[in-house]
Amino acid sequence: MPKKRGYHHGNLRQALVEAALKLIEEKGPTGFTLSEAAKQAGVTPAAVYRHFEGREDLIAEAARQGYEIFGDVMQFAYESGQPSALAAFEATGRAYLAFARKYPGHYIAMFESGISVNRSPELASVAKKARGVLEKAAEELSENIPPEKRPPASMFSAHIWAMSHGVVELFARNSPGTQSPFPPEDLLETGIGVYLRGLGLISPDK
């Protein structure tokens, strides 16, 4: 057990976030206490309050950092699909699933903790930036749809976000009692395909 460092831990704030992420993965966002996070980080419980007002404040910081990573992952996926608007859009959908698998603690803090993205200006800003990548990809792709049939880019991206989130929640994170008959990646890819065919963005034989 690391020796308790009291108030003088050089990077206590980040150590507490890392501890919280581990506990979130193990016990869920409401299944641990600040005292447990402090113990995990090797400091006294009183030291936590030098940086965080309470557990929700700590989880919100984990979510903020998660959105920063998520935004970078989405941007990388978007750029990897360029110059094809279709490839860029599909890549952002797959990136959602990849992020949830690689960063489960962040994902839970962001989407399953009940913490509002408007809890702080900083959290709202990074969340908006991350969503903006998918909206940009949707806007570019939707330019191929006749104006009279074109859904708003925000609606377009929200549909894919919801589909990606559903696949993650039901099948990629092993929802109790739920077992997918197909790999989550295949479910998401075919789901996006059905959606895009409905908009006339890919041909029926693809």
Side-chain angles (χ1 to χ4, degrees):
M1 186 69 193
K3 183 179 179 180
K4 293 188 183 298
R5 302 179 182 85
Y7 295 108
H8 304 291
H9 190 318
N11 195 18
L12 171 58
R13 183 178 177 84
Q14 189 57 34
L16 287 166
V17 172
E18 295 297 328
L21 288 167
K22 185 176 180 181
L23 289 165
I24 287 169
E25 285 186 48
E26 294 174 353
K27 301 183 176 185
T30 61
F32 72 97
T33 64
L34 277 180
S35 293
E36 287 179 283
K39 184 177 180 181
Q40 190 88 255
V43 297
T44 62
V48 179
Y49 293 97
R50 296 272 295 196
H51 299 277
F52 300 102
E53 295 179 1
R55 184 177 61 187
E56 286 195 353
D57 196 28
L58 175 56
I59 295 173
E61 174 59 17
R64 187 196 65 77
Q65 293 185 17
Y67 271 110
E68 284 193 340
I69 298 168
F70 183 57
D72 289 342
V73 168
M74 296 290 278
Q75 184 65 36
F76 178 81
Y78 168 78
E79 292 174 357
S80 72
Q82 292 294 330
S84 166
L86 176 59
F89 183 77
E90 291 177 330
T92 58
R94 290 191 295 272
Y96 191 103
L97 180 56
F99 172 82
R101 281 187 159 158
K102 188 169 182 179
Y103 301 98
H106 289 98
Y107 178 89
I108 296 169
M110 292 157 62
F111 301 118
E112 299 178 8
S113 67
I115 298 294
S116 171
V117 293
N118 296 313
R119 182 180 177 87
S120 71
E122 295 79 14
L123 179 53
S125 177
V126 292
K128 182 178 180 180
K129 182 179 178 181
R131 291 195 304 269
V133 178
L134 185 54
E135 287 190 15
K136 181 179 180 182
E139 185 173 10
E140 290 181 357
L141 186 55
S142 64
E143 289 177 357
N144 298 307
I145 303 173
E148 68 275 10
K149 297 181 179 179
R150 185 183 303 163
S154 57
M155 179 184 289
F156 192 165
S157 62
H159 287 161
I160 299 303
W161 188 301
M163 189 184 305
S164 304
H165 189 76
V167 169
V168 169
E169 289 295 314
L170 290 174
F171 304 117
R173 289 184 30 77
N174 300 319
S175 180
T178 303
Q179 184 173 2
S180 171
F182 306 101
E185 291 83 359
D186 292 351
L187 283 172
L188 183 57
E189 184 175 349
T190 55
I192 291 175
V194 169
Y195 181 84
L196 296 181
R197 284 190 198 93
L199 291 173
L201 288 168
I202 59 176
S203 62
D205 58 347
K206 286 187 178 181

